[in-house]
Amino acid sequence: MAALRIQIHPTNHKTSRYLKTYPPSISCSMQQPPQNNIKVVINGAAKEIGMAAVLAVTKARGMEVAGAVDSHLVGEDIGLVCGMEEALEIPIISDLTMVLGSISQLKATSVVVDFTEPSTVYDNVKQATAFGMNSVVYVPRIKPETIAALSAFCEKASMGCLVAPTLSIGSILLQQAAISASFHYNNVEIVESKANAGVFPSQDSAQIANNLSNLGQLYNRDDLDTNAPARGQRLGEDGVRVHSLVLPGLVSSTTVYFSGPGEMYSIKHDITNVQCLMPGLILAIRQVVRLKNLVYGLEKFL
């Protein structure tokens, strides 16, 4: 219930000859009680993306960091680890169950953000669900069978879980534009670039290729059966090829090239740092608390 607040202000009016005081004026205002913030647990808090998430959640309206889990920097204050001027008074703890048990006593809406590994995702989401908490999972290369098992588990428990192959809104918009273009062109290739070697093709390129597959299109008919390594890796049965470029100094970039008679159409998305994932993360946290099942892909909420 809103609290009624009354303030009394003495009012003075000066005339040309003397000071005359009138009865004090009374102003009333309705003071709304503060809303309960979403309690957010960052699992993988000591990673670069985890630290960025701590800063983003701290600045976002309607949510707050309530726990930090990681096997590194255990005992350190997560605020100081992230470079904040003041400590958050939240130590990094390696035991997820301990953190969830403590926060569950608050009886507040809570979300666990998972930045861990594919092998631990299923158990992490099960634990969060057992404590009545929703989950946002951003862990590349989760196996389809793991996602299917999590979907069945969340459906039965009536708890929300958002599995996001990407948290980059720009990457999602690139994928949507590529799907639209695929109906108008018969040739398509994906070129990705990174500064450091890693697992290729990247999660973003694989997701784009998967989205373009099974749309009833058959791409690059002229060399569909070519197996030359220089032609890149073909993903799926529809002829979508991915080429990976690795050179120091390059930004992380994904470009989708389409071509038709007399024209070429290209869509490009560059990522310069992990900050590009934070608007998507905040959106995911706000949306997952409304779910009662598992949703795959942040694009469902754009």
Side-chain angles (χ1 to χ4, degrees):
M1 180 180 294
L4 180 64
R5 197 163 143 193
I6 302 177
Q7 294 180 324
I8 301 177
H9 310 280
T11 305
N12 295 330
H13 295 275
K14 185 181 293 185
T15 65
S16 57
R17 296 184 61 186
Y18 55 88
L19 185 66
K20 186 175 181 181
T21 302
Y22 289 89
S25 62
I26 301 177
S27 63
C28 300
S29 64
M30 300 297 289
Q31 185 178 21
Q32 298 292 339
Q35 296 181 347
N36 292 328
N37 288 340
I38 300 172
K39 310 298 182 184
V40 181
V41 178
I42 308 296
N43 192 2
K47 296 182 177 181
E48 180 185 9
I49 187 173
M51 291 188 286
V54 169
L55 295 173
V57 170
T58 301
K59 296 176 182 177
R61 178 181 298 178
M63 61 185 69
E64 62 182 277
V65 177
V69 181
D70 208 296
S71 59
H72 301 284
L73 302 177
V74 174
E76 299 289 332
D77 183 271
I78 188 58
L80 299 180
V81 169
C82 294
M84 294 183 178
E85 294 183 358
E86 297 183 3
L88 285 179
E89 298 184 358
I90 299 174
I92 298 176
I93 298 176
S94 59
D95 191 333
L96 176 62
T97 304
M98 181 184 298
V99 175
L100 298 183
S102 176
I103 295 174
S104 66
Q105 298 178 11
L106 300 176
K107 306 297 183 181
T109 301
S110 304
V111 174
V112 180
V113 179
D114 196 329
F115 294 132
T116 59
E117 304 294 334
S119 61
T120 63
V121 165
Y122 183 77
D123 289 337
N124 292 343
V125 174
K126 282 189 67 175
Q127 286 194 63
T129 301
F131 283 102
M133 301 181 188
N134 301 289
S135 297
V136 172
V137 178
Y138 177 66
V139 178
R141 303 184 186 281
I142 303 176
K143 294 181 179 180
E145 52 267 32
T146 300
I147 296 173
L150 280 176
S151 180
F153 180 79
C154 292
E155 188 81 27
K156 184 177 181 179
S158 295
M159 290 297 296
C161 177
L162 174 58
V163 178
T166 182
L167 288 172
S168 167
I169 293 177
S171 179
I172 294 172
L173 295 177
L174 174 67
Q175 294 176 28
Q176 293 175 342
I179 291 173
S180 297
S182 67
F183 294 102
H184 304 283
Y185 297 96
N186 295 323
N187 293 277
V188 57
E189 308 239 346
I190 301 172
V191 178
E192 61 180 10
S193 65
K194 285 188 176 182
N196 303 306
V199 180
F200 294 104
S202 67
Q203 178 74 20
D204 285 350
S205 293
Q207 185 70 25
I208 294 171
N210 290 335
N211 287 340
L212 297 182
S213 297
N214 302 318
L215 292 176
Q217 295 286 92
L218 190 62
Y219 309 101
N220 309 319
R221 294 172 183 267
D222 294 340
D223 65 345
L224 184 63
D225 297 326
T226 300
N227 293 320
R231 285 295 295 117
Q233 181 178 352
R234 195 178 78 185
L235 300 183
E237 300 298 325
D238 301 323
V240 180
R241 295 183 182 273
V242 179
H243 308 262
S244 301
L245 179 65
V246 179
L247 288 172
L250 290 177
V251 298
S252 180
S253 177
T254 304
T255 306
V256 186
Y257 292 93
F258 294 92
S259 70
E263 69 172 339
M264 178 172 286
Y265 174 60
S266 61
I267 318 166
K268 184 179 182 182
H269 177 239
D270 295 337
I271 293 177
T272 57
N273 58 53
V274 75
Q275 296 299 324
C276 73
L277 306 178
M278 295 304 106
L281 174 63
I282 298 303
L283 174 62
I285 293 171
R286 296 194 195 283
Q287 295 295 333
V288 76
V289 298
R290 306 177 183 179
L291 300 178
K292 298 297 181 182
N293 60 339
L294 183 143
V295 172
Y296 185 83
L298 184 62
E299 63 272 13
K300 305 296 193 304
F301 303 104
L302 293 184

